[in-house]
Amino acid sequence: MAFTQYKSEIIILMSVNKNCTVSALEDAARTLISGNLVVFPTETVYGLGADATNPNGVAKIYKVKGRPTSHPLIVHISSLNNLNIWAKYIPEYAIKLAKVFWPGPLTLILQRSEIVKDFITGGQNNVGIRVPSNPIALSLLERFEAKGGLGIAAPSANLFGGVSPTSAIAAKEDLHHKLSNSDRILDGGSCTVGIESTIVDCTQIAPTILRPGAVTSDMIKNLLGFKLDLSFDYSVRIHPKVSGSYKSHYAPKAQVIIDGNPEVGDGLIALASTLTPIGVVRLAAPETSQEFAKVLYEAYRLADIKNLRKVCVQLPTGDGIELAIQDRVERSAYKPNMPTDGLAKSLLNNT
Ligand code: TXA
Ligand code: MG
């Protein structure tokens, strides 16, 4: 497997394994089977995983993250072949999406099978399923399934409402004081995509994007030929069960300003073509939109490490992954005391 040659920096965390070797992955799979937690890399962000059929294991996720239990979790599986275990009445267009974009940064919301319990879905009849493409995630899934596991429930490995971790070090910073010695953290280096998966609701006749990501609406439209409902635009509609649809989310402690001019002492995240004014702290200078997505959350974390008060983000333009970047930055810029457009206040105070 490719992961055995993986060259990333390996760190030892908690009572953890030395690295992402075969024995470390076997140990992590056993950890899940025994009802404990494993933080693991995916291509999008790091996940905080538990056996998706184990209520005690899943309860630990909610406790560690500080997340309301009404908030559903994505179940990760190793292959499209296992989708029938978790979902039923799967529309043909969902199969088409899975065949093209799995393994990869796409989550499908489908009608749940009998195996899916309320503790995964927050009581909803639907379940989110994803096959990640990160080789360490896939190997963990395969080893877990070989031991009788069926799927790994995993939200992003950060505290509820905060910035998703794109490295094991960032996940450790957020969670180490909440994990136990029986839990594990696998280090697979930096995530290649850097923002969370695209979530597509496949429970209706036509698909709806609930959260934009690296699988863009154009990619989906071109494959399926559907006109897509972009419900992630919260000025159009709020889907209360998608945490990313809280207006305030993915937020660093620093105040995020979109497209403003940074002053001395402020942070700046912008494409490399934008120069850094004197006295401004450059947090990231990505060359492309893809790279922008990859470094955004690390740049937010750097702003907090440096105790910056304000971060200006100059958004890249475009209607591909740029829409996902825009979505995350807008939510991170939003503060609950900003004027609302009729959105229930209770939805806003969850950072
Ligand atoms: O890229 C990702 O999706 C990462 C990696 C670890 O896979 N996971 C992730 O999970 O971002 P999380 O829980 O932080 O965000 C996923 C969102 C949740 O906020 C949840 O509300 C929504 O997906 N979701 C999960 N199941 C759902 C369902 N059945 N219906 C609607 N939304 C759902
Ligand atoms: Mg999350």
Side-chain angles (χ1 to χ4, degrees):
M1 287 289 297
F3 71 87
T4 52
Q5 286 104 45
Y6 206 78
K7 294 279 197 298
S8 75
E9 182 196 355
I10 301 297
I11 52 172
I12 303 173
L13 301 164
M14 308 298 300
S15 55
V16 184
N17 319 291
K18 288 205 170 101
N19 51 40
C20 290
T21 57
V22 167
S23 70
L25 285 159
E26 281 290 305
D27 173 65
R30 278 193 302 272
T31 298
L32 292 167
I33 293 285
S34 63
N36 291 304
L37 301 176
V38 174
V39 172
F40 64 100
T42 82
E43 69 282 14
T44 56
V45 299
Y46 272 69
L48 173 63
D51 178 345
T53 62
N54 183 330
N56 298 325
V58 171
K60 289 178 188 169
I61 292 181
Y62 284 100
K63 190 161 177 228
V64 164
K65 244 187 105 84
R67 174 164 163 165
T69 51
S70 58
H71 226 88
L73 298 172
I74 295 171
V75 177
H76 299 68
I77 56 175
S78 70
S79 153
L80 171 57
N81 296 336
N82 299 348
L83 184 58
N84 285 324
I85 299 174
W86 292 94
K88 58 185 185 184
Y89 310 128
I90 304 165
E92 218 171 287
Y93 71 78
I95 299 286
K96 261 194 197 169
L97 288 172
K99 279 190 174 156
V100 171
F101 297 116
W102 281 357
L106 175 71
T107 296
L108 302 179
I109 306 294
L110 296 160
Q111 185 147 344
R112 74 187 203 183
S113 72
E114 283 64 36
I115 204 176
V116 186
K117 303 297 182 229
D118 283 350
F119 61 79
I120 289 292
T121 70
Q124 297 192 83
N125 288 330
N126 305 324
V127 63
I129 308 283
R130 171 162 120 77
V131 178
S133 63
N134 178 291
I136 292 168
L138 277 177
S139 177
L140 176 65
L141 280 161
E142 281 160 9
R143 287 165 197 284
F144 170 71
E145 288 167 4
K147 295 179 192 334
L150 295 175
I152 301 177
S156 52
N158 54 285
L159 299 175
F160 182 57
V163 177
S164 297
T166 55
S167 70
I169 293 166
K172 186 198 171 197
E173 270 165 17
D174 280 6
L175 303 181
H176 75 277
H177 56 293
K178 297 220 168 165
L179 295 176
S180 83
N181 284 339
S182 308
D183 302 324
R184 300 287 183 267
I185 300 179
L186 291 172
D187 187 344
S190 293
C191 299
T192 51
V193 175
I195 53 175
E196 306 80 357
S197 61
T198 306
I199 300 182
V200 180
D201 183 350
C202 299
T203 61
Q204 309 297 322
I205 289 172
T208 301
I209 296 185
L210 301 180
R211 181 175 71 181
V215 174
T216 66
S217 67
D218 274 354
M219 291 178 191
I220 295 173
K221 229 170 1 195
N222 290 342
L223 179 71
L224 302 177
F226 280 106
K227 188 177 177 305
L228 284 175
D229 173 4
L230 303 181
S231 84
F232 66 82
D233 177 354
Y234 49 70
S235 64
V236 177
R237 182 158 80 89
I238 273 285
H239 193 291
K241 293 293 183 185
V242 181
S243 64
S245 68
Y246 288 110
K247 264 191 152 183
S248 177
H249 208 91
Y250 312 111
K253 291 189 191 78
Q255 186 189 359
V256 174
I257 311 279
I258 299 173
D259 291 341
N261 289 323
E263 293 164 7
V264 172
D266 291 347
L268 175 64
I269 303 172
L271 286 169
S273 50
T274 300
L275 298 178
T276 312
I278 291 169
V280 165
V281 183
R282 190 60 177 256
L283 298 167
E287 297 281 350
T288 63
S289 297
Q290 272 69 26
E291 201 189 329
F292 202 112
K294 182 169 160 29
V295 301
L296 176 66
Y297 290 156
E298 272 307 307
Y300 277 173
R301 283 174 185 271
L302 186 59
D304 285 347
I305 289 167
K306 290 178 178 288
N307 274 321
L308 301 188
R309 211 171 47 81
K310 261 192 333 192
V311 176
C312 292
V313 183
Q314 295 187 357
L315 291 170
T317 51
D319 54 9
I321 197 167
E322 295 84 2
L323 290 182
I325 296 168
Q326 189 184 327
D327 170 75
R328 303 307 193 279
V329 173
E330 280 176 357
R331 292 178 205 288
S332 62
Y334 184 83
K335 294 290 174 214
N337 57 0
M338 285 166 75
T340 76
D341 52 4
L343 195 67
K345 280 227 166 57
S346 60
L347 280 179
L348 305 179
N349 295 320
N350 287 282
T351 54

